[in-house]
Amino acid sequence: MVIQRPKGTQDIIPGTIKRWHFLETQIRKICSEFGYQEIRTPIFEATELFQRGVGETTDIVNKEMYTFLDKGQRSITLRPEGTASVCRAYVENKFYAQPQPVKLYYLGPMFRYENTQAGRYRQFHQFGAEVLGAQDPLVDAEVIHLIWEFYRRIGLKGLEVHLNSVGCPVCRTEQRSQLQYYLQERKSDLCLDCQDRFEKNPMRILDCKNKGCQALTVDVPTTLDTLCEECKEHFAKVQQALRDCGIEYRINPKMVRGLDYYQRTAFEVMAEGIGAQSAICGGGRYDGLVEEIGGPSTPGIGFAMGIERILAVLDKQKVAIDNDQENKVLIAALGAQARQEGFKILSELRQDGVSALMDLMGRGLKSQMKYADREGVRYVLILGDEELAKDAIIVRDMRLGDQSEISRGAIKKYLLKNMKNSKYLL
Ligand code: AMP
């Protein structure tokens, strides 16, 4: 029997990898421009990190973690998200002793044992960024601006930023009692999980995927109804700063996010047309998290976005991705001597940084042209016995469909003149 990949995982194959590279390049570029540095944390961590960091009453910790005992009987978990690990690294590497804030980003696979469906996988990839050590509402706006600008640059349209404030521990006490008061009489109609949440963490009921629970919470008091004065002021400043950088947002007072660590600002970005799993990004402020996992009291804010879902929106919106085909050259050499000379030209072009290929299967000209088409080549350099004798080469422009003969020594100059971004050749 053929062995198949595990449910909820995907092979990212050469046909699609260009789109990943495109996103990865854009991610690194924008993060560097906004002053974020990359961090790479382990893919597995002590289970306790997520129990404490993500929260015992969340679906992620309760139902979705890939947890196992290693051979030393330690409980290990494949990371279901990136924030807890970044905060652990911040503490463990004593980043709190450096000038603040510390601005970090990450990119890599996450693992959740979820019910798989379109847009919901068991291994998926997130790009996330975190700012640690700064409480200013401008930081919240900067983080949302990074997301907004990133989507603008990659060409996504029709997105909606949902914004909320879930308050601080002071507001939570009030929130908790108002929620419990409201739901008291309907408690027995809640799902079993929510009946449990009712005592432990009633705010999580707002996040329940069960339709019955959702119906029961249509008119519940929202987190915005119970904000303390400081949280209200913070929220107002975040909104002002978002307006100042031209970001459109919608207040969604029911959005509480599925992780326990959020305080104050919480946000999600939704995209149309990719089905039920329309959230392409989520994040918020988590001022208590670093302390929760054993570090000094440190404010923090961040987000994570799912790469697979961004790719789905790019596909849906038919966004063209510039993958530099303008700069590809194929050398079509015919005959043993031409192949030898062709290989020399190939290596010269490569030394000049030109993306160049040569047929290695000894195919005829027609098949080589097909190969060039398949590879998205812009220029084919044709070299046969006749051209060899004249010390010349035929250059065929695949996009314009015309060709001309130039001397062997003029190849570099020709490409330099005609190629897009010909600085690569200098
Ligand atoms: P979260 O860490 O749950 O806030 O998720 C942040 C983002 O990661 C979401 O908005 C999605 O774009 C993406 N995401 C979360 N879970 C999955 C999953 N199981 N499969 C694919 N993408 C996911």
Side-chain angles (χ1 to χ4, degrees):
M1 210 177 74
V2 182
I3 300 173
Q4 294 184 325
R5 60 179 187 258
K7 196 173 166 200
T9 66
Q10 287 177 303
D11 295 315
I12 304 164
I13 52 178
T16 49
I17 200 78
K18 273 184 191 148
R19 301 171 83 70
W20 286 77
H21 288 167
F22 164 74
L23 287 183
E24 286 161 11
T25 306
Q26 295 295 327
I27 288 168
R28 295 189 196 293
K29 187 166 179 295
I30 196 164
C31 284
S32 132
E33 286 173 23
F34 275 64
Y36 290 71
Q37 287 189 306
E38 186 180 359
I39 182 161
R40 298 186 190 184
T41 59
I43 279 175
F44 59 86
E45 298 267 8
T47 302
E48 201 191 341
L49 175 67
F50 303 113
Q51 285 169 337
R52 278 210 258 159
V54 179
E56 298 269 17
T57 54
T58 59
D59 274 359
I60 293 184
V61 170
N62 269 329
K63 303 180 185 162
E64 297 170 359
M65 293 209 300
Y66 279 90
T67 298
F68 57 94
L69 286 181
D70 72 5
K71 292 190 198 308
Q73 300 305 302
R74 297 171 200 93
S75 181
I76 293 291
T77 294
L78 300 185
R79 62 180 186 193
E81 57 99 57
T83 306
S85 302
V86 172
C87 290
R88 182 206 42 72
Y90 175 87
V91 177
E92 201 163 338
N93 294 286
K94 297 191 174 56
F95 287 170
Y96 49 79
Q98 295 177 8
Q100 303 294 298
V102 173
K103 295 164 62 169
L104 302 164
Y105 78 93
Y106 59 85
L107 181 61
M110 306 292 160
F111 306 86
R112 295 184 194 172
Y113 193 81
E114 302 208 63
N115 289 326
T116 54
Q117 50 181 290
R120 190 177 283 284
Y121 307 102
R122 292 186 175 166
Q123 175 174 333
F124 58 100
H125 296 74
Q126 284 185 336
F127 152 45
E130 319 285 351
V131 183
L132 288 147
Q135 211 157 18
D136 198 305
L138 287 184
V139 180
D140 307 34
E142 181 198 88
V143 164
I144 299 173
H145 186 210
L146 192 157
I147 299 164
W148 184 258
E149 177 60 15
F150 174 68
Y151 290 145
R152 192 190 65 77
R153 287 186 190 186
I154 62 172
L156 293 194
K157 295 194 183 71
L159 305 181
E160 216 173 36
V161 178
H162 289 215
L163 186 70
N164 192 19
S165 174
V166 294
C168 66
V170 178
C171 330
R172 285 281 160 84
T173 319
E174 180 61 20
Q175 245 170 49
R176 194 185 159 87
S177 55
Q178 285 208 17
L179 264 177
Q180 284 175 331
Y181 181 75
Y182 181 89
L183 290 169
Q184 186 68 46
E185 282 172 16
R186 299 158 236 228
K187 191 176 161 192
S188 54
D189 297 331
L190 294 168
C191 73
L192 290 179
D193 281 344
C194 282
Q195 292 189 20
D196 191 38
R197 290 170 183 141
F198 184 87
E199 293 302 335
K200 289 190 185 149
N201 191 351
M203 201 175 79
R204 286 269 72 81
I205 298 173
L206 302 182
D207 204 37
C208 184
K209 288 167 190 147
N210 182 301
K211 291 265 182 295
C213 298
Q214 286 174 0
L216 285 173
T217 54
V218 172
D219 293 319
V220 288
T222 67
T223 56
L224 291 184
D225 296 328
T226 48
L227 289 189
C228 68
E229 283 312 310
E230 280 176 31
C231 285
K232 263 189 204 154
E233 194 187 323
H234 185 96
F235 195 42
K237 286 184 175 161
V238 173
Q239 291 180 63
Q240 181 60 50
L242 289 179
R243 286 193 295 270
D244 290 344
C245 42
I247 297 170
E248 291 155 34
Y249 60 88
R250 200 174 100 185
I251 305 278
N252 180 353
K254 287 275 186 56
M255 185 192 58
V256 293
R257 311 266 309 118
L259 303 96
D260 270 355
Y261 50 59
Y262 288 113
Q263 287 189 23
R264 294 192 166 169
T265 313
F267 52 86
E268 273 183 355
V269 183
M270 318 299 276
E272 294 168 352
I274 53 165
Q277 305 307 315
S278 59
I280 54 170
C281 179
R285 181 163 276 288
Y286 48 80
D287 292 350
L289 179 58
V290 174
E291 209 172 347
E292 181 66 41
I293 59 173
S297 166
T298 310
I301 180 163
F303 69 81
M305 57 176 83
I307 303 288
E308 287 81 357
R309 291 196 196 164
I310 300 173
L311 289 170
V313 189
L314 284 171
D315 275 350
K316 186 82 196 167
Q317 299 188 353
K318 300 198 169 36
V319 178
I321 286 173
D322 175 15
N323 49 25
D324 241 7
Q325 291 185 345
E326 289 286 307
N327 285 336
K328 259 195 181 173
V329 172
L330 178 103
I331 297 166
L334 304 157
Q337 226 187 323
R339 276 165 67 82
Q340 193 181 343
E341 184 60 23
F343 192 73
K344 246 167 82 182
I345 300 172
L346 176 75
S347 45
E348 284 168 23
L349 290 177
R350 284 178 170 168
Q351 279 163 31
D352 285 331
V354 177
S355 179
L357 297 169
M358 186 173 150
D359 170 58
L360 299 171
M361 304 296 288
R363 282 180 279 225
L365 185 59
K366 216 168 140 195
S367 315
Q368 295 202 39
M369 288 311 212
K370 272 195 200 149
Y371 176 40
D373 252 353
R374 223 175 34 237
E375 291 290 330
V377 160
R378 173 76 195 273
Y379 296 101
V380 179
L381 306 183
I382 305 166
L383 187 64
D385 289 340
E386 211 176 299
E387 288 74 32
L388 267 185
K390 288 196 270 183
D391 203 21
I393 199 156
I394 294 170
V395 184
R396 186 171 171 82
D397 184 327
M398 298 295 278
R399 209 176 58 185
L400 303 178
D402 57 23
Q403 64 182 50
S404 51
E405 191 179 277
I406 58 172
S407 76
R408 162 82 169 81
I411 298 171
K412 194 169 156 181
K413 208 168 136 205
Y414 179 92
L415 293 176
L416 194 67
K417 199 171 108 224
N418 288 290
M419 275 185 163
K420 189 177 146 198
N421 297 331
S422 59
K423 64 177 184 302
Y424 292 133
L425 284 163
L426 299 172

